[in-house]
Amino acid sequence: MDGLLQRAKGDKVIWTIVAFLSVVSLLAVYSSTGSLAYRMRQGHTEYYLIKQLTVLGLGLLIIYFAHKVNYTVYSRIAQLGMLISIPLLCYTLAFGRNLNSAARWINLPVINLTFQTSDIAKLALFMYVSRMLSRKQGVITDFKTGFLPIILPVGFICLLIMPANMSTALLLGASCMLLCFIGRVPVKFLAAMVGCMAGIVLLMFIFAKLSGNDLRTKTWIARVESFMGGGDKEQPYQVQQANIAIAEGGILGKGPGNSNQRNFLPHPYSDFIYAIIIEEYGIFGAFLILMAYMLLLLRSIRIFKRCPYAFGAFLALGLSFTLVIQALCNMAVNVHLFPVTGVTLPMVSMGGSSVIFTSLAIGIILSVSRNVEETELKRIEKERMERVLQQQREAGLNMAV
């Protein structure tokens, strides 16, 4: 492991976090899918472990090749990514695969791969926002020329994601607003945008009620009411089972593979994998997972502060924001600090396209880090050569005297 870390470029701590989360993912997915694999795969309990190992291996390759690319290339493909994302999101709303009354996935017919188009949109949007923030710093306080070109695509992408995936749209919008705040966008502009988005969400609820197509709104309202303790329903079944898993985990947990709630908890390998981790590894294991994401954010902030160019700084920070905020939201749902949503735990939950695009995001962060390190090494080498030349000149003068 030390040899691999020495050969890898970029922030070594982030590489270590990726390796740690990958190991946790394999352990947690194998444990939480044992019963599922036995039922669905005729007793082949290692099926999902092998599948997750393959996806994580592909993800590590993507991280490696993405971090070898100069991050300025991503600025040039940001607009292309946006142009691709918008038609894909529209297609998903109209013809996407429907699961739990939400059209979030599309199938690629030739290779039979299913993926969420919102994953592509998130990555493209952060590259675009980072690009625009870096280019608009001179006029960032002007509403028309500075703020609108940045925020309009954010609002449009969030609106396309919102009907099928409200939680992802809200998290994406919040992450972009936070990045805009760091990019010196005036608070009054951001407050106005929050008000507009709240009004749009309200209009969506009203339209759904009037049109009679309010299945998703009923789901949203029921989740909020159950979380707040309102309505005439008790806590959702998955929340009850997650609470049992957490209670049984205790401080040190029941040990790897000893979870009972994996047999009762819906989606224990994706949305509620953190509850399984707590049951098997206890509060101590849950704390390590939380600290891993916090450390990822801190290292990205360090990259942000050291990066000499605005685009790279905003890109690294923005991508880390979306990963860490998504992770915190998933963990909050699992411990019942947040209403039930459909977000997964990045690099830990079982998945295909989500792991791929998360890996690409981490690879881009490491690309910025690698270029920062190379720039600093060149600066240090230049300063060393200047000192050597200065010493040689001084030595020549002394000999002449």
Side-chain angles (χ1 to χ4, degrees):
M1 179 62 72
D2 291 338
L4 290 176
L5 290 176
Q6 289 296 325
R7 288 194 295 270
K9 303 295 183 181
D11 194 301
K12 301 299 188 295
V13 176
I14 295 180
W15 277 107
T16 305
I17 292 170
V18 170
F20 170 70
L21 292 178
S22 298
V23 172
V24 171
S25 176
L26 290 175
L27 293 173
V29 167
Y30 183 52
S31 176
S32 59
T33 57
S35 300
L36 177 66
Y38 189 83
R39 294 194 308 269
M40 303 297 293
R41 299 293 167 177
Q42 290 78 42
H44 298 290
T45 55
E46 293 81 15
Y47 173 81
Y48 292 106
L49 171 65
I50 296 172
K51 180 180 178 181
Q52 185 70 0
L53 180 61
T54 303
V55 172
L56 288 174
L58 179 59
L60 290 175
L61 287 176
I62 290 174
I63 292 174
Y64 177 79
F65 287 112
H67 104 287
K68 298 293 286 185
V69 177
N70 192 304
Y71 70 86
T72 56
V73 173
Y74 299 112
S75 175
R76 293 194 286 271
I77 65 175
Q79 291 178 312
L80 176 62
M82 290 291 290
L83 292 175
I84 294 174
S85 299
I86 292 173
L88 278 178
L89 289 173
C90 294
Y91 178 85
T92 304
L93 284 176
F95 307 106
R97 179 183 174 186
N98 203 290
L99 184 63
N100 295 330
S101 304
R104 303 177 185 177
W105 295 265
I106 62 174
N107 291 321
L108 297 179
V110 178
I111 59 177
N112 196 27
L113 175 67
T114 302
F115 71 98
Q116 289 194 57
T117 50
S118 60
D119 290 329
I120 299 178
K122 286 191 294 185
L123 194 58
L125 184 60
F126 274 104
M127 288 192 291
Y128 176 82
V129 171
S130 300
R131 171 191 170 95
M132 295 303 293
L133 280 174
S134 64
R135 295 193 167 201
K136 296 289 184 179
Q137 284 299 297
V139 292
I140 199 66
T141 56
D142 184 83
F143 182 81
K144 184 177 181 180
T145 61
F147 180 64
L148 279 183
I150 299 173
I151 209 64
L152 284 179
V154 174
F156 189 58
I157 292 292
C158 289
L159 283 176
L160 290 176
I161 297 175
M162 191 175 293
N165 200 340
M166 173 74 80
S167 56
T168 296
L170 293 178
L171 291 176
L172 180 59
S175 300
C176 290
M177 300 284 273
L178 184 57
L179 184 60
C180 287
F181 175 75
I182 294 173
R184 301 193 307 115
V185 172
V187 175
K188 60 182 180 181
F189 294 167
L190 298 177
M193 187 63 187
V194 170
C196 288
M197 292 304 293
I200 291 172
V201 172
L202 181 60
L203 288 175
M204 283 187 61
F205 275 87
I206 295 174
F207 177 78
K209 288 289 185 181
L210 294 177
S211 64
N213 186 22
D214 61 342
L215 184 58
R216 290 300 298 170
T217 60
K218 286 181 178 178
T219 301
W220 299 333
I221 293 172
R223 288 177 175 178
V224 174
E225 285 182 346
S226 65
F227 174 75
M228 300 297 293
D232 56 355
K233 297 182 179 179
E234 59 182 6
Q235 289 183 349
Y237 175 77
Q238 59 264 47
V239 173
Q240 297 176 19
Q241 300 304 316
N243 289 339
I244 295 173
I246 294 168
E248 291 184 352
I251 302 297
L252 298 177
K254 302 168 67 174
N258 292 325
S259 169
N260 291 325
Q261 294 310 113
R262 63 186 175 184
N263 300 315
F264 305 99
L265 186 62
H267 306 293
Y269 44 82
S270 56
D271 298 357
F272 283 90
I273 198 169
Y274 191 62
I276 301 300
I277 292 173
I278 297 176
E279 184 182 6
E280 294 189 350
Y281 301 95
I283 296 175
F284 177 74
F287 178 77
L288 289 180
I289 301 295
L290 176 61
M291 287 301 100
Y293 288 107
M294 291 296 98
L295 188 56
L296 172 63
L297 180 60
L298 288 175
R299 300 302 292 187
S300 298
I301 292 173
R302 182 172 178 266
I303 296 170
F304 170 81
K305 294 171 66 175
R306 294 169 59 195
C307 187
Y309 302 105
F311 171 71
F314 289 134
L315 185 61
L317 196 61
L319 291 175
S320 66
F321 275 156
T322 187
L323 294 177
V324 174
I325 290 176
Q326 179 180 333
L328 292 176
C329 180
N330 176 273
M331 290 184 273
V333 169
N334 277 249
V335 300
H336 200 42
L337 292 177
F338 202 73
V340 175
T341 63
V343 297
T344 56
L345 194 59
M347 288 300 293
V348 176
S349 295
M350 186 176 73
S353 62
S354 61
V355 174
I356 298 304
F357 288 105
T358 297
S359 299
L360 184 54
I362 294 174
I364 294 173
I365 295 172
L366 287 169
S367 172
V368 179
S369 174
R370 180 180 65 85
N371 280 270
V372 168
E373 290 180 357
E374 291 177 352
T375 301
E376 290 185 349
L377 286 175
K378 290 178 181 178
R379 178 182 58 81
I380 293 171
E381 181 63 21
K382 181 180 179 181
E383 292 177 353
R384 189 186 70 81
M385 292 298 297
E386 289 176 350
R387 286 196 300 269
V388 170
L389 292 174
Q390 181 64 27
Q391 291 173 357
Q392 290 176 349
R393 285 194 295 267
E394 291 175 355
L397 289 174
N398 291 334
M399 291 178 63
V401 172

